[in-house]
């Protein structure tokens, strides 16, 4: 892998942390969804609907994340859309209303889809298309996915405690994202532009291996 510039190392650490956080949050939702359904009295069909809404949020983010930065800036979109996952977890903890539960899952799906889009874009920008660094960044998602069930087990029957820990983790990474330097795409390189377009298409289709989850429902 190419060596990063000193000013880009903080950004790369943040996107790797984002992948860990997404891996923890998304896998944990699937792991505790049966407990949530049992506590809130949800039937099997509604639990499946919640997962479908989450997937719809992921699809929406894949379409929208490429356009929103033009109007609001990459940093604001990265932080704002990333925060939706932790807002969704908070809603899952505090409400049993069907509409709000579906909204919570939609927010987590949007956050995951936008997070994949922005981490791909940021990593491609700072590494000048180095696919090795891009693959290395994505390796942090399964790290989070492995941590999630261990965290749920450590918290015992209290799935809310596990969610609180993830929310605190998310707040810390978002605070860092608010002050980090964001590298912007350089123009005039058609090959690089073609690679970035391929990454965006991959986000929309959702064909990466780490998007396949065992949800336990």
């Amino acid at each position: 892998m190419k060596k990063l510039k000193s000013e880009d190392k903080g950004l790369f650490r943040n996107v790797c942390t984002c992948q860990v956080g997404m891996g923890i949050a998304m896998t944990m939702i699937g792991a505790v969804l049966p407990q949530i359904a049992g506590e809130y009295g949800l039937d099997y069909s509604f639990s499946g609907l919640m997962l479908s809404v989450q997937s719809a949020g992921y699809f929406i983010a894949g379409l929208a994340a490429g356009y929103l930065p033009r109007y609001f800036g990459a940093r604001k979109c990265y932080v704002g859309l990333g925060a939706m996952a932790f807002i969704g977890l908070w809603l899952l903890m505090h409400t049993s209303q069907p509409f709000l539960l579906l909204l919570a899952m939609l927010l987590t799906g949007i956050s995951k889809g936008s997070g994949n889009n922005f981490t791909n874009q940021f990593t491609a920008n700072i590494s000048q298309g180095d696919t090795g660094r891009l693959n290395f960044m994505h390796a942090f998602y399964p790290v989070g996915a492995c941590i999630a069930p261990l965290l749920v087990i450590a918290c015992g029957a209290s799935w809310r405690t596990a969610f609180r820990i993830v929310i605190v983790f998310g707040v810390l990474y978002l605070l860092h994202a608010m002050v980090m330097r964001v590298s912007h795409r350089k123009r005039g390189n058609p090959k690089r532009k073609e690679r970035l377009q391929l990454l965006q298409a991959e986000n929309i289709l959702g064909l990466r291996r780490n998007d396949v989850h065992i949800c336990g429902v």
Side-chain angles (χ1 to χ4, degrees):
M1 292 187 294
K2 300 177 181 178
K3 188 175 180 180
L4 290 178
K5 299 178 181 179
S6 58
E7 61 268 21
D8 291 331
K9 291 181 179 178
L11 174 58
F12 187 67
R13 284 193 293 267
N14 189 272
V15 297
C16 290
T17 304
C18 176
Q19 288 290 328
V20 173
M22 285 195 299
I24 295 174
M26 299 302 114
T27 306
M28 184 176 291
I29 290 174
V32 305
L33 191 54
Q35 298 180 47
I36 295 174
E39 183 173 328
Y40 291 160
L42 308 176
D43 58 25
Y44 186 86
S45 298
F46 189 82
S47 299
L49 178 61
M50 290 173 66
L51 294 175
S52 297
V53 170
Q54 185 184 53
S55 299
Y58 181 88
F59 179 75
I60 292 170
L63 295 175
Y67 297 95
L68 291 178
R70 298 180 182 179
Y71 304 101
F72 303 104
R75 187 201 309 276
K76 290 180 180 178
C77 291
Y78 178 60
V79 174
L81 296 175
M84 288 185 177
F86 309 106
I87 296 173
L89 293 180
W90 187 89
L91 285 174
L92 290 173
M93 290 169 52
H94 291 92
T95 182
S96 60
Q97 295 297 320
F99 173 76
L100 293 179
L101 291 175
L102 293 177
L103 176 62
M105 295 298 285
L106 180 67
L107 292 177
T108 61
I110 292 175
S111 181
K112 180 179 183 295
S114 61
N116 274 330
N117 187 295
F118 286 117
T119 54
N120 277 338
Q121 178 184 335
F122 292 161
T123 303
N125 287 345
I126 63 179
S127 61
Q128 299 179 351
D130 182 0
T131 56
R133 191 170 299 280
L134 192 64
N135 291 332
F136 180 76
M137 181 267 293
H138 279 293
F140 282 87
Y141 185 96
V143 171
C146 291
I147 293 174
L150 299 177
L151 184 57
V152 172
I153 293 172
C155 293
S158 180
W159 57 270
R160 286 185 173 85
T161 300
F163 275 17
R164 291 188 186 99
I165 294 173
V166 177
I167 291 173
V168 171
F169 176 87
V171 169
L172 294 176
Y173 117 76
L174 289 172
L175 287 175
H176 178 261
M178 292 174 66
V179 298
M180 70 182 183
R181 176 184 179 274
V182 176
S183 296
H184 297 282
R185 184 186 307 176
K186 296 179 180 180
R187 300 179 180 179
N189 190 335
K191 292 184 178 179
R192 187 166 174 230
K193 181 177 181 181
E194 181 179 350
R195 285 195 294 268
L196 291 172
Q197 289 174 339
L198 178 61
L199 288 173
Q200 290 178 342
E202 182 182 331
N203 278 328
I204 294 175
L205 294 174
L207 296 179
R208 275 187 303 275
R209 287 176 294 177
N210 63 14
D211 295 326
V212 180
H213 306 292
I214 299 175
C215 296
V217 179

